Amino acid sequence: MAHMLETTDTARGPARATPPMWLVVALACAGQFLVVLDISVVNVALPSMRGGLALGEQGLQWVVNAYAIAFAGFMLLGGRAGDLYGRKRMFLVGLGLFTLASLAGGLAQDGWQLLLARAVQGLGAAVLAPSTLTIVTSAVPEGAARARAIATWTAVGAGGGAAGGFVGGVLVEALSWRWVLLINVPVGALVLAGAARWLTESRAGDGRRLDLPGALLVTAGLATLAYGISQTEAEAEGWAAAATLVPLCAGLVLLALFLLAEARAKAPLMPLGLLRLRSVASANVAMLISGSAMFCMWFFMTLYAQNVLGYTPLEAGLALVPSSLAVIIGSKLAPRLMRAAGPRTVAVLGTVIAATGFGWQSTMTADGAYLTAIMFPGILMMLGAGIAATPLASLATSGAAPEEAGLVSGLVNTSRTMGGSLGLAIMSTIAAAHTGTPRTPHSLTEGYALAFRTSTALLATGAVVMWLWLPRRTREDH
């Protein structure tokens, strides 16, 4: 079993004491927490951003999607860069870019400045995030210890997504919407200092160049596809409008060109042979489906709480605290369940629990009570998400060679995040089409409920796919 990937740069300067394993895991998880937190922390601030920068409904959606699409689109490039040039180096570069973009977004004076800053934030996150998982798996030996470390990484990441509502609510209520971005600056600087001091460089460099054309093609394809989906909301003719069909077709063509380029490239961004590994292919498809269904939860729950039930940003954030705790509990329970039942069974169990919560949430009403309209269904949704995420991440990273560790880590995050951004575009379109005009609390609730029903069906499909396709065990279980 491989305890560590090849460590480099040891000849430069005096030897430095090996940092404790818990500190390495803590620093990696801190980076992951920041990038995932920033996907969801802006949700509570969206109504305030609308007033402050005169953003429309589509502009608000792109505050979320500009980050998520850049994040997902460049993550394969970030993972490969970590393999070739060093995981610590990419961690520092990504976190530095993320922190500077957070400062620019917090100081934005126009909508386009905020959207540009969010896209650059996503680029920094794409460089940073794959290194967080690779640093964890490189520092911890395979087996039970690594499963616990991955569970911690998953819990912290899921907790970042879940805590976003609460953190955003506190910051918007106490200060302003700008602080949901500005808060990253001091925190990012602190993590940067710790990572520079304590993380050890590791890589699996073989002299290959980065596949920049591949990264540009996949990012452009995914962004164009998401834009086309979002246009169905703005166009009266919906899916039949030229403004919808043209970007949809262009996105599909760009993605096809990406696959063609990868098949012919000498050093592809994503070696297609990886997808022949059952564990890698099945777990990433499962993450794509789950992400497309679950990502919209925080977006719609915060809008439902504020636009329908009349909660303040702080009250909306507090309302989602039980869900935040549930996702962390689910992530920490997963390794124990995996030892007893295997990763496939646990992934399916978590997905079924989440689907039950989404189904319950789809019964929401315009005068819903907190316990039955937010708290209990939210707990089920996020408990299931936490239980399912750890076995899927373990399966996705268990079958690849060490030199592909960064790439596979990037693919894991790409599948989850890109599924989420495309899912958000689709669910927002479905909700808006069903809401109609005028937008009353009752009509808004109808649209949100339909989005949750659609997510329920997606999760049910995902559970079947997982049961039929996922391998029963990870490589280290054999």
Side-chain angles (χ1 to χ4, degrees):
M1 294 186 296
H3 290 258
M4 289 281 290
L5 293 181
E6 177 191 357
T7 301
T8 64
D9 299 340
T10 56
R12 299 180 184 178
R16 180 176 294 174
T18 302
M21 189 182 299
W22 68 265
L23 182 57
V24 174
V25 173
L27 286 168
C29 287
Q32 178 70 1
F33 180 85
L34 275 177
V35 300
V36 177
L37 176 75
D38 240 66
I39 297 176
S40 63
V41 72
V42 299
N43 286 339
V44 169
L46 290 176
S48 301
M49 289 177 179
R50 183 208 305 268
L53 297 177
L55 290 167
E57 286 290 332
Q58 197 172 20
L60 290 180
Q61 180 182 323
W62 278 94
V63 171
V64 179
N65 266 346
Y67 179 87
I69 290 172
F71 186 16
F74 282 104
M75 214 173 321
L76 291 176
L77 186 69
R80 176 55 82 199
D83 286 338
L84 299 182
Y85 304 130
R87 284 68 185 254
K88 175 182 176 178
R89 181 173 295 152
M90 291 302 105
F91 185 100
L92 296 175
V93 169
L95 184 55
L97 186 59
F98 176 87
T99 304
L100 289 174
S102 297
L103 177 63
L107 300 177
Q109 298 301 309
D110 291 303
W112 70 266
Q113 294 173 351
L114 176 61
L115 296 183
L116 178 60
R118 289 287 288 168
V120 177
Q121 262 193 315
L123 175 60
V127 176
L128 168 63
S131 294
T132 65
L133 181 55
T134 310
I135 288 169
V136 169
T137 56
S138 298
V140 184
E142 288 183 359
R146 181 177 292 182
R148 289 193 298 271
I150 290 176
T152 300
W153 178 86
T154 302
V156 168
F166 172 70
V167 173
V170 171
L171 293 172
V172 171
E173 193 87 358
L175 298 168
S176 78
W177 67 262
R178 296 182 181 278
W179 279 93
V180 302
L181 299 172
L182 292 176
I183 192 64
N184 293 327
V185 178
V187 177
L190 184 63
V191 177
L192 267 172
R197 173 68 180 85
W198 291 110
L199 290 184
T200 303
E201 188 61 282
S202 69
R203 71 185 76 180
D206 55 6
R208 289 187 294 176
R209 293 184 177 180
L210 286 175
D211 179 18
L212 187 58
L216 293 176
L217 280 171
V218 71
T219 304
L222 292 172
T224 307
L225 195 62
Y227 175 76
I229 294 170
S230 70
Q231 281 296 98
T232 60
E233 179 181 343
E235 297 297 324
E237 297 176 47
W239 295 95
T244 299
L245 289 176
V246 170
L248 285 176
C249 293
L252 292 174
V253 169
L254 287 169
L255 291 177
L257 289 174
F258 166 71
L259 294 175
L260 183 62
E262 296 305 280
R264 296 183 175 182
K266 293 181 179 179
L269 178 65
M270 188 185 73
L272 299 183
L274 271 179
L275 299 181
R276 298 191 188 100
L277 295 172
R278 182 180 175 185
S279 59
V280 174
S282 60
N284 277 282
V285 169
M287 283 187 168
L288 184 73
I289 296 173
S290 297
S292 66
M294 293 183 186
F295 183 75
C296 66
M297 180 267 191
W298 303 111
F299 182 81
F300 286 118
M301 290 290 274
T302 52
L303 291 180
Y304 172 61
Q306 292 185 71
N307 294 343
V308 176
L309 300 183
Y311 289 18
T312 66
L314 178 58
E315 288 170 341
L318 288 171
L320 296 175
V321 167
S323 305
S324 305
L325 297 175
V327 73
I328 295 171
I329 291 170
S331 299
K332 301 304 288 184
L333 279 175
R336 297 182 182 181
L337 297 174
M338 288 165 63
R339 287 195 295 271
R344 182 185 68 168
T345 301
V346 176
V348 172
L349 172 65
T351 304
V352 169
I353 293 173
T356 303
F358 273 83
W360 187 349
Q361 190 64 56
S362 71
T363 64
M364 63 174 67
T365 61
D367 57 352
Y370 168 66
L371 290 180
T372 55
I374 291 181
M375 180 176 166
F376 290 136
I379 287 174
L380 282 178
M381 284 187 278
M382 291 298 101
L383 179 67
I387 290 173
T390 298
L392 288 177
S394 296
L395 285 167
T397 57
S398 67
E403 61 270 17
E404 306 288 357
L407 176 61
V408 173
S409 298
L411 189 59
V412 167
N413 281 296
T414 299
S415 298
R416 180 167 51 194
T417 309
M418 202 62 243
S421 60
L422 290 176
L424 177 59
I426 293 171
M427 299 303 171
S428 297
T429 300
I430 289 173
H434 196 67
T435 297
T437 53
R439 298 198 168 193
T440 64
H442 177 75
S443 66
L444 286 170
T445 303
E446 291 274 326
Y448 300 156
L450 181 59
F452 279 103
R453 283 196 294 275
T454 306
S455 292
T456 304
L458 266 177
L459 287 171
T461 302
V464 174
V465 169
M466 292 177 205
W467 185 256
L468 295 177
W469 194 8
L470 289 176
R472 293 176 60 87
R473 298 277 171 184
T474 61
R475 183 178 62 179
E476 55 263 31
D477 292 328
H478 293 291

